[in-house]
Amino acid sequence: MTGLALPVAGVSPKMLFMKSPAYLQCITPSCGNTHDIDEVRFDCARCGSLLDVRYDWSQCDVPKSLAFFDARRNFSQHSEHGRLDRSGVWRFRELLPFARPDDLVTIGEGQTVLQVADDLGREVGMHAGRLYLQYEGFNPSGSFKDNGMAAAFTMARLLNRHRVACASTGNTSAALALFANQTKTSSGQAMEAIVLVGGDRIAPGKLSQALDYGAKTLQIDGDFDVCMRLVKEHAETLNLYLMNSLNPFRLEGQKTIMYRVLEAMRWEVPDWIVVPGGNLGNTSAFGKAFVELRDLGLIDRLPRLAVINAQGANTLHELFEHRGLRYSNGNYDSAKVASFYEEMDRNGVVADTVASAIEIGHPVNLPKALRSLEATRGLVRQACDDDILDGKALVGRYGFGCEPASGASVAGLRLLIQEKIISPDERVVCILTGHGLKDSGTTVNYHSSSCATNHAGSYANPPIKTKADLASLKKALAG
Ligand code: F0G
């Protein structure tokens, strides 16, 4: 893709960014090609690799210690930057300094909770006080995507782009649609949201959000991978600004999920972060967050990342755990990836899981995810649909609930404890990426003994059909 930065009412994006210490850089160390921050690019012009947002930290006001951010928790709405301190993304603005404070877009994202989950921990074999659940479903659109959208919409507005688009399994489209209806471009125009969703795979709760928030919603005859390919190929022709996690600014926003985890743990680094893997944006962002903090001298060790694929959408697991694919400081074997995809096509394999949010066969951030795994001594596991739904049910039973994809974190944790890779007294944070009401149909099916895999879930709590009289009530309550 070529540069598309359009002039804005007399002010060119170049001028808006002139003082920015940020630039885009190819992730492949042997290339390292750079691009200006205002170039609309998602791949390196020289070698085609993915791009990172990078900073010349010597030009930035980086705090000397993470405790610097504590004061911002007592924000006042009326203080100069109260609006930003309230945001769980922009409270950490010195760690993603690609735009000036006045230009940052926020709708109040990142008011999330880190819950100590002893009851759930006991159920999966952890000791008390060691398991934490990070609820990203508490975001305005109900998923972690809002973190990334705050950053990507900031960029879209700076570039004066007003048609924003994504492919989605549902949550990205909900977040995009909500941010678009809350954000005006720098020239006062309304943002137009265009979302491409797989024809029949999206959970109704998520589809309802895109429709309700006013996005132009295209239900494509194909799955997420088809939608992703389509929007990536044609974004430029259709003058759409791409807001998937291929857009490196999305990942800058998603770094802050890790900052909030650290903040809630009094800046102590946990032993493990367990996260579901779909398009691998979080995996990529989390690794980048920790590596940057370490390089800035703000933490002295990295947690290990455990990425959990659904068994029916297990590209990363297959490549990393079975075929030995490693990042190798950027020299990863891309032919191995290509031949795996050819094999999938040849055998007609498409992603298929009850956790529709992570039903992705061709994760666009694969190389960045491999880099994160290398940096964090990470590993990958796959969980079958039954285990994912049981994981989700446990978060419902013992916590605040989550959607199926998030249940993969708990299913993965359980596996890793059984394998004795995670020990019961390590400190583990499971990332719960989406709210429980996103996919309530799947939850009701699970509890009503007609779940996707056609048998009752291990934690099923079926409704009891009862006649409307006292004797029947007594009978039902005695059961
Ligand atoms: N959990 C939920 C609830 C998600 O919606 C997604 C991705 C993931 C996990 C996977 O995260 O891509 O960073 O590995 N949903 C995207 C969407 C693909 O379109 O809403 P990832």
Side-chain angles (χ1 to χ4, degrees):
M1 289 194 193
T2 51
L4 273 180
L6 304 173
V8 186
V11 184
S12 79
K14 270 252 153 21
M15 284 168 71
L16 287 168
F17 291 116
M18 222 145 64
K19 291 215 169 71
S20 175
Y23 53 98
L24 299 171
Q25 183 165 41
C26 174
I27 67 165
T28 302
S30 57
C31 175
N33 190 28
T34 60
H35 292 276
D36 286 344
I37 188 87
D38 60 339
E39 259 190 71
V40 180
R41 295 204 63 90
F42 306 109
D43 52 12
C44 171
R46 192 189 290 160
C47 76
S49 292
L50 297 175
L51 298 175
D52 274 327
V53 181
R54 290 274 171 213
Y55 305 99
D56 175 355
W57 293 110
S58 69
Q59 284 185 46
C60 306
D61 278 334
V62 184
K64 303 246 170 322
S65 135
L66 287 169
F68 164 87
F69 294 106
D70 286 340
R72 294 205 175 145
R73 299 185 87 176
N74 306 319
F75 66 90
S76 153
Q77 287 286 21
H78 307 293
S79 68
E80 188 194 355
H81 292 310
R83 165 187 95 92
L84 302 180
D85 293 350
R86 177 168 169 265
S87 160
V89 170
W90 300 122
R91 182 152 82 241
F92 303 102
R93 51 195 174 273
E94 286 80 0
L95 299 173
L96 50 156
F98 65 84
R100 296 171 305 194
D102 287 348
D103 293 328
L104 303 177
V105 170
T106 176
I107 64 166
E109 60 289 329
Q111 311 301 315
T112 58
V113 169
L114 185 77
Q115 181 190 36
V116 183
D118 283 352
D119 291 339
L120 196 156
R122 193 176 338 101
E123 191 71 33
V124 297
M126 297 283 299
H127 292 164
R130 310 313 273 177
L131 175 61
Y132 299 77
L133 301 177
Q134 171 70 8
Y135 285 93
E136 286 298 318
F138 287 10
N139 271 290
S141 79
S143 87
F144 74 87
K145 303 286 180 180
D146 293 347
N147 298 287
M149 287 301 169
F153 268 84
T154 294
M155 204 55 200
R157 198 169 63 169
L158 280 171
L159 295 167
N160 202 31
R161 303 302 298 267
H162 61 272
R163 299 183 87 197
V164 288
C166 68
S168 184
T169 56
N171 282 325
T172 308
S173 50
L176 180 91
L178 182 56
F179 268 83
N181 83 23
Q182 297 290 309
T183 310
K184 293 253 186 309
T185 63
S186 47
S187 53
Q189 267 180 297
M191 290 266 185
E192 186 187 358
I194 293 133
V195 305
L196 279 69
V197 297
D200 59 353
R201 297 299 303 167
I202 181 170
K206 302 176 188 181
L207 179 59
S208 74
Q209 289 181 286
L211 301 175
D212 214 27
Y213 301 148
K216 193 165 279 174
T217 305
L218 311 181
Q219 282 194 289
I220 303 293
D221 177 19
D223 63 6
F224 172 84
D225 292 315
V226 171
C227 295
M228 188 68 239
R229 217 166 24 240
L230 206 59
V231 72
K232 192 175 146 193
E233 263 173 41
H234 302 301
E236 193 175 334
T237 313
L238 299 171
N239 192 23
L240 306 174
Y241 185 61
L242 187 62
M243 300 292 258
N244 281 98
S245 52
L246 204 55
N247 181 327
F249 294 95
R250 272 273 312 276
L251 302 190
E252 290 307 286
Q254 286 169 218
K255 288 190 314 192
T256 65
I257 300 170
M258 291 301 101
Y259 304 153
R260 293 198 300 276
V261 165
L262 293 180
E263 179 186 53
M265 298 182 89
R266 311 304 310 143
W267 307 115
E268 284 178 24
V269 178
D271 297 301
W272 289 91
I273 301 286
V274 189
V275 61
N279 224 3
L280 304 177
N282 274 336
T283 306
S284 307
F286 295 177
K288 185 173 191 280
F290 286 116
V291 168
E292 283 176 354
L293 289 182
R294 185 198 52 203
D295 292 351
L296 289 168
L298 294 169
I299 55 174
D300 54 13
R301 69 183 186 94
L302 274 58
R304 295 185 71 185
L305 271 185
V307 184
I308 316 300
N309 273 164
Q311 200 169 49
N314 63 354
T315 296
L316 182 66
H317 180 260
E318 179 62 25
L319 287 170
F320 188 82
E321 296 291 343
H322 290 161
R323 305 193 183 196
L325 184 69
R326 290 294 180 272
Y327 189 59
S328 306
N329 197 29
N331 299 312
Y332 73 97
D333 186 351
S334 54
K336 201 175 256 183
V337 181
S339 82
F340 176 68
Y341 287 151
E342 272 164 29
E343 201 179 304
M344 273 175 80
D345 290 346
R346 214 172 31 249
N347 298 327
V349 175
V350 287
D352 182 12
T353 167
V354 69
S356 59
I358 51 173
E359 193 177 68
I360 296 173
H362 293 63
V364 297
N365 289 300
L366 181 70
K368 287 184 178 176
L370 292 171
R371 181 176 66 175
S372 289
L373 290 168
E374 182 169 274
T376 62
R377 297 188 302 121
L379 48 77
V380 188
R381 287 295 178 271
Q382 59 179 349
C384 66
D385 283 357
D386 282 348
D387 291 351
I388 287 175
L389 291 177
D390 284 346
K392 190 200 80 68
L394 282 173
V395 179
R397 178 76 61 89
Y398 297 115
F400 302 140
C402 66
E403 69 165 280
S406 312
S409 304
V410 175
L413 168 63
R414 186 176 237 168
L415 269 175
L416 290 164
I417 292 170
Q418 282 161 5
E419 289 178 38
K420 298 195 188 313
I421 290 176
I422 292 185
S423 84
D425 57 3
E426 286 187 291
R427 299 222 291 178
V428 179
V429 180
C430 284
I431 309 301
L432 303 178
T433 42
H435 198 280
L437 295 176
K438 288 275 191 176
D439 192 356
S440 51
T442 300
T443 304
V444 173
N445 284 344
Y446 173 92
H447 288 292
S448 310
S449 313
S450 60
C451 68
T453 45
N454 279 329
H455 64 80
S458 311
Y459 302 93
N461 175 31
I464 304 162
K465 291 218 163 79
T466 306
K467 285 205 183 108
D469 59 64
L470 180 61
S472 305
L473 288 181
K474 279 185 173 164
K475 196 171 152 210
L477 292 175

